[in-house]
Amino acid sequence: MEQAMRDFFLFLSKNRALTKMAKRYGLRFGAARFVAGETIDLASNVIQSLNAKGLDVTIDYLGEFVDNEAEANEMADQSIEAIKAIGRQNLTAQLSLKMTSMGLDISDDVVLRNMRRILEAATENGVFVTIDMEDYSRCGKTIEIFKQLKSEYDNIGTVIQAYLYRTEQDIADLNAYKPNLRLVKGAYKESPSVAFPEKKDVDENFKKIIRQHLENGNYAAVATHDDAIIDYTKQVVKELGISNDQFEFQMLYGIRTERQEQLVKEGYKMRVYVPYGTDWYGYFMRRLAERPANVAFVLKGMVKK
């Protein structure tokens, strides 16, 4: 039943008609729990409140199904505006973005031009940029573009997904770049030909790549809400004698907020992934797919309305 629900919401997340409708009707039906608002000003208010609790942030201007150059350029403009807001308000925040929103599906020229514009602005404002990983069909291309940009800029990292078979080799290949990587389980529906179908195997691979990346001496952002993975990370860094400034934990805005604050009190760096913007639908559907408890929360909110 849980897997069927997950598949259902992942299917809905790719529906373009529903995406357009969601933009029109705004942040309703519980989405505001996971999305900080539709503008950078609203997102900045959320960042300030999180920073006041000792939480670091990475923000993401949401966007999906970008298939024309004008829209990709606008998405890049919005990311640059977010970077400037971080610098102007002295926020403890980074930027995350999806390559498809920058023109990955249009052409290499478009995505590289937009990424360089963003990274120039990020360098000027002292902001770190993480390239989010998307589905398997775009994984290889994303990594290749990351390698190219990493050879030009220091303030860039990317994401590696534990559920893919290729991931262990990707981390080995990327080691030459001394990358800052966000390590995640993975949130897309993939074929068993490219991804571990069983959760237990994903969890074991997640642990394997956490150790692998830390042993390589590179910065690791362990993005998880799973206490078993959090405890494993604590165990590994203690075993390897790794200081708290070589890694951090990351969680999503609106999920396990008390645990986030607890990790800060324990002396760990804790970064909250804070999305904002009008194109929130696909992101919201994936959050519902991840945890059935999120669906119950949304239904409760709809009844109250």
Side-chain angles (χ1 to χ4, degrees):
M1 177 64 181
E2 185 172 323
Q3 184 60 45
M5 185 177 290
R6 172 180 164 82
D7 291 347
F8 174 67
F9 282 109
L10 288 176
F11 170 76
L12 290 180
S13 73
K14 298 177 180 179
N15 188 295
R16 292 173 184 250
L18 290 175
T19 296
K20 289 180 180 178
M21 187 173 72
K23 277 186 177 181
R24 191 160 60 243
Y25 288 105
L27 286 170
R28 301 180 185 179
F29 308 120
R33 176 183 179 177
F34 308 110
V35 180
E38 296 188 343
T39 67
I40 185 58
D41 289 338
L42 291 172
S44 294
N45 293 336
V46 170
I47 295 168
Q48 288 172 343
S49 67
L50 291 169
N51 286 170
K53 297 176 182 177
L55 294 158
D56 292 3
V57 167
T58 184
I59 58 170
D60 177 14
Y61 181 73
L62 295 170
E64 310 218 358
F65 305 127
V66 173
D67 57 9
N68 66 83
E69 187 172 345
E71 190 174 355
N73 294 342
E74 170 61 19
M75 291 294 294
D77 289 343
Q78 291 289 343
S79 292
I80 291 168
E81 182 57 37
I83 288 167
K84 290 178 179 177
I86 291 170
R88 186 169 59 248
Q89 299 178 55
N90 199 28
L91 302 172
T92 305
Q94 300 179 350
L95 177 77
S96 292
L97 53 79
K98 286 183 171 57
M99 296 280 266
T100 52
S101 69
M102 297 300 129
L104 183 68
D105 294 345
I106 302 168
S107 75
D108 287 2
D109 286 345
V110 172
V111 70
L112 284 169
R113 183 175 69 249
N114 280 327
M115 287 301 301
R116 288 186 178 114
R117 287 204 295 134
I118 289 165
L119 288 164
E120 289 293 336
T123 300
E124 291 173 12
N125 288 275
V127 174
F128 190 84
V129 177
T130 297
I131 297 171
D132 285 337
M133 191 57 70
E134 301 177 67
D135 61 0
Y136 179 79
S137 67
R138 298 177 174 93
C139 180
K141 186 72 169 177
T142 299
I143 289 175
E144 289 309 308
I145 290 178
F146 166 71
K147 287 177 179 178
Q148 183 170 344
L149 293 170
K150 184 68 169 69
S151 67
E152 301 172 29
Y153 300 91
D154 291 328
N155 58 332
I156 185 170
T158 192
V159 177
I160 294 292
Q161 299 162 316
Y163 68 172
L164 297 180
Y165 301 137
R166 61 174 289 167
T167 290
E168 190 175 355
Q169 187 59 51
D170 283 336
I171 290 180
D173 292 343
L174 285 168
N175 188 40
Y177 295 82
K178 298 300 176 190
N180 177 322
L181 297 179
R182 179 192 300 150
L183 307 177
V184 304
K185 286 187 180 179
Y188 292 84
K189 183 173 174 57
E190 302 290 3
S191 163
S193 65
V194 300
F196 295 101
E198 299 294 331
K199 180 183 181 298
K200 62 180 177 59
D201 295 323
V202 176
D203 288 348
E204 284 308 305
N205 202 46
F206 201 177
K207 292 176 181 178
K208 182 187 291 185
I209 65 171
I210 289 168
R211 176 179 287 273
Q212 178 187 4
H213 189 55
L214 288 169
E215 284 182 334
N216 285 344
N218 300 317
Y219 193 89
V222 180
T224 183
H225 303 100
D226 187 335
D227 282 326
I229 299 296
I230 292 170
D231 291 342
Y232 176 79
T233 304
K234 291 178 180 179
Q235 170 195 322
V236 169
V237 297
K238 186 175 181 181
E239 176 190 329
L240 298 177
I242 289 171
S243 67
N244 282 8
D245 60 6
Q246 193 188 320
F247 75 100
E248 65 187 51
F249 293 109
Q250 293 190 3
M251 293 187 193
L252 299 172
Y253 176 62
I255 300 177
R256 302 208 70 192
T257 53
E258 291 181 4
R259 186 70 170 113
Q260 294 173 13
E261 293 174 26
Q262 181 185 345
L263 285 166
V264 171
K265 290 174 183 174
E266 292 174 13
Y268 296 103
K269 180 180 281 190
M270 173 67 233
R271 190 176 305 278
V272 184
Y273 186 100
V274 177
Y276 74 101
T278 58
D279 197 0
W280 52 268
Y281 172 78
Y283 176 87
F284 181 45
M285 288 297 111
R286 287 192 291 277
R287 299 297 74 78
L288 296 185
E290 283 173 353
R291 297 180 73 237
N294 293 339
V295 181
F297 175 88
V298 171
L299 291 174
K300 190 184 298 183
M302 289 172 69
V303 170
K304 285 181 181 177
K305 290 178 187 297

